[in-house]
Amino acid sequence: MKYVLVIPDGMGDKPLASLGGKTPLEAARTPNMDFFAAHGVVGLSQNIPDGFTPGTDIGCMSVFGYDPKIYFTGRGPLEAAELGIALEKDDLAFRCNLVTAEGGVLKDFSAGHVSVAEARILIEVLGERLREKHGERFRFYPGGGTGYRNLFIYHKADPGMARIVSTPPHDIMGRAYRDYLPKGKGTDFLAALMTESREILENHPVNEKRAENGKARANLIWLWGQGVPPHFPSYHKRFGFQGAVITAVDLLKGIAIHAGLDVIAVPGVTGYFDTNYTGKAEYAVNVLRSRDFVAVHVESTDEAGHMGDAALKIRAIEDVDRWVLGTLREKLKEFEAFKILILPDHYTCVETRTHSPDPVPFLIYSSREEKRGPRKFCEKTAAESKIFVKEGHTLMNLFVKGGVLPS
Ligand SMILES: [Zn+2]
């Protein structure tokens, strides 16, 4: 048996007046998903546990079968994994944003989308100057794909520090940032580093040049999303097989690495509307020639939601259906038997342009055991099925090992 997981990021949505009361998934023409639905099982899965922010990190941990309540230790450690940074067990990994401050106010969490090249220079200078002064207790790492997203590792952290309170910078735009500096055991030092970063960055030539060109200065670091290294039981240990993940998104690569899954690069994959959908499906089939599990993650559905564009979201869903699921449906025939799980991580609502924690529709199809399901795969038919997986992280186990889906 071969197992295929397809994650259309943020595909779930609410009914829209502009679509005559339909959701984008409901309005989209999706013959391949509908085929799998008609011969499979659909239901709802609660991927975001109560009290958690409906982010891709939490949603995808559930999708991959890891209970966020147990395994989520912070955003920083997942991003460290993606950058290939091996954490020691007493390391504390933080997301380190480059942000823009004006006076005492946090103006922009992305520092005017500072470029990767500029961020590299700033992060390097910062690391040198601060380590000169404070020693080697910490280290900065430039991020991979986005300038404002960098990483800060604090070594030999007191275990109590994992519980300090830090605030995402995108939540305090326009506010006095000093009120939101990290709080709790050992945070005086972190707050001091953040304050000192401003002195080093404010008039750095990179920022002088940005200011000359009318761009925001990247003049402050913001440390948040900290966590100790998580310990995920690997897929091999849980299910006895090897597998791989295909994605353009750093966070997903981090989850894959922690789960002991390979990350497969596909040419032309962008995480955007022009991504190489067919290539993703073809590489997925190739993965299954030597392994038993593959996950294909697609980001464009989430992007369209954030843009608040219903037509674009429909198009992204139709592209996923045609090029990813259509290609899989055709090419998976070479294997004796296969199962597909289609499972978005969360809703990304066109109307509010943001994520919501609603239970998402899922679909399971097995070529060995065809069933009679609804003729359309969407939020409505998933709700009507009365199948409800209250703890989304349990669905992966049911998908692989079988068993009765809860109602
Ligand atoms: Zn997501």
Side-chain angles (χ1 to χ4, degrees):
M1 181 65 81
K2 302 290 181 182
Y3 300 90
V4 184
L5 165 65
V6 178
I7 313 164
D9 202 295
M11 181 168 74
D13 211 318
K14 299 190 175 172
L16 291 165
S18 65
L19 299 177
K22 291 185 175 176
T23 69
L25 176 59
E26 198 180 353
R29 221 189 130 261
T30 53
N32 293 302
M33 286 193 227
D34 297 347
F35 168 85
F36 290 128
H39 299 89
V41 180
V42 302
L44 290 175
S45 174
Q46 184 66 55
N47 289 345
I48 311 294
D50 271 354
F52 280 80
T53 308
T56 297
D57 43 6
I58 301 299
C60 280
M61 283 184 78
S62 287
V63 166
F64 279 92
Y66 297 100
D67 185 352
K69 297 193 289 298
I70 297 172
Y71 296 106
F72 183 72
T73 60
R75 187 179 287 236
L78 292 179
E79 295 187 2
E82 190 282 320
L83 292 173
I85 302 164
L87 296 175
E88 302 290 330
K89 74 176 187 317
D90 53 1
D91 278 348
L92 197 56
F94 290 75
R95 160 71 80 76
C96 171
N97 275 51
L98 278 169
V99 302
T100 303
E102 267 176 44
V105 170
L106 197 145
K107 282 296 246 206
D108 184 353
F109 73 91
S110 74
H113 284 276
V114 59
S115 73
V116 172
E118 291 168 318
R120 264 185 187 277
I121 297 169
L122 294 174
I123 289 294
E124 199 166 302
V125 152
L126 204 59
E128 269 171 29
R129 296 272 302 274
L130 291 173
R131 275 156 64 101
E132 245 164 50
K133 184 169 170 190
H134 297 286
E136 316 241 308
R137 298 158 69 182
F138 56 84
R139 210 168 149 184
F140 289 91
Y141 293 87
T146 317
Y148 68 86
R149 294 179 180 172
N150 303 281
L151 212 71
F152 171 84
I153 312 287
Y154 189 70
H155 303 306
K156 299 193 169 44
D158 184 292
M161 279 187 77
R163 287 189 299 277
I164 64 172
V165 176
S166 64
T167 308
H170 48 262
D171 286 352
I172 52 165
M173 299 246 283
R175 298 195 204 166
Y177 66 82
R178 276 181 200 288
D179 298 344
Y180 299 94
L181 290 168
K183 289 183 184 67
K185 189 169 188 159
T187 52
D188 289 352
F189 179 63
L190 300 175
L193 289 182
M194 288 161 78
T195 307
E196 286 170 33
S197 76
R198 185 130 182 223
E199 292 156 26
I200 297 166
L201 296 175
E202 182 74 38
N203 298 315
H204 186 278
V206 165
N207 276 325
E208 292 297 335
K209 189 151 182 230
R210 284 182 64 80
E212 269 170 39
N213 293 323
K215 293 181 185 167
R217 286 174 198 261
N219 59 3
L220 180 70
I221 54 163
W222 195 259
L223 304 177
W224 65 286
Q226 74 283 344
V228 296
H231 295 286
F232 289 18
S234 71
Y235 263 52
H236 187 256
K237 200 165 168 197
R238 296 178 62 193
F239 303 123
F241 54 51
Q242 307 289 342
V245 178
I246 293 171
T247 178
V249 172
D250 294 351
L251 193 64
L252 268 288
K253 294 178 190 169
I255 291 175
I257 291 162
H258 280 293
L261 298 165
D262 301 324
V263 176
I264 305 289
V266 176
V269 163
T270 60
Y272 214 58
F273 303 104
D274 58 353
T275 199
N276 181 6
Y277 293 108
T278 312
K280 285 192 174 191
E282 283 168 348
Y283 274 66
V285 172
N286 196 40
V287 162
L288 295 176
R289 293 185 182 126
S290 56
R291 304 168 180 87
D292 290 328
F293 173 85
V294 70
V296 181
H297 170 258
V298 180
E299 181 71 359
S300 56
T301 33
D302 177 67
E303 287 287 339
H306 285 299
M307 290 164 77
D309 189 330
L312 199 54
K313 188 159 181 183
I314 291 172
R315 204 191 92 194
I317 293 168
E318 290 181 344
D319 283 346
V320 171
D321 187 78
R322 182 163 178 198
W323 303 115
V324 177
L325 290 156
T327 307
L328 287 172
R329 188 176 158 192
E330 183 55 40
K331 303 216 165 184
L332 286 172
K333 286 179 189 156
E334 77 173 67
F335 303 108
E336 200 188 308
F338 67 89
K339 279 180 98 169
I340 285 194
L341 168 61
I342 303 174
L343 178 61
D345 47 352
H346 50 72
Y347 276 28
T348 304
C349 302
V350 164
E351 190 149 8
T352 55
R353 297 185 169 204
T354 185
H355 299 176
S356 91
D358 299 74
V360 295
F362 74 87
L363 180 168
I364 292 177
Y365 168 85
S366 168
S367 69
R368 193 175 274 169
E369 198 189 344
E370 291 202 342
K371 305 212 165 161
R372 268 182 82 110
R375 276 197 256 162
K376 171 76 188 165
F377 176 52
C378 65
E379 294 83 351
K380 219 170 271 172
T381 55
E384 282 163 6
S385 78
K386 304 283 182 221
I387 291 171
F388 182 51
V389 181
K390 227 182 309 177
E391 296 197 273
H393 69 90
T394 60
L395 186 54
M396 179 53 71
N397 208 47
L398 289 164
F399 171 60
V400 173
K401 294 185 176 168
V404 180
L405 290 164
S407 49

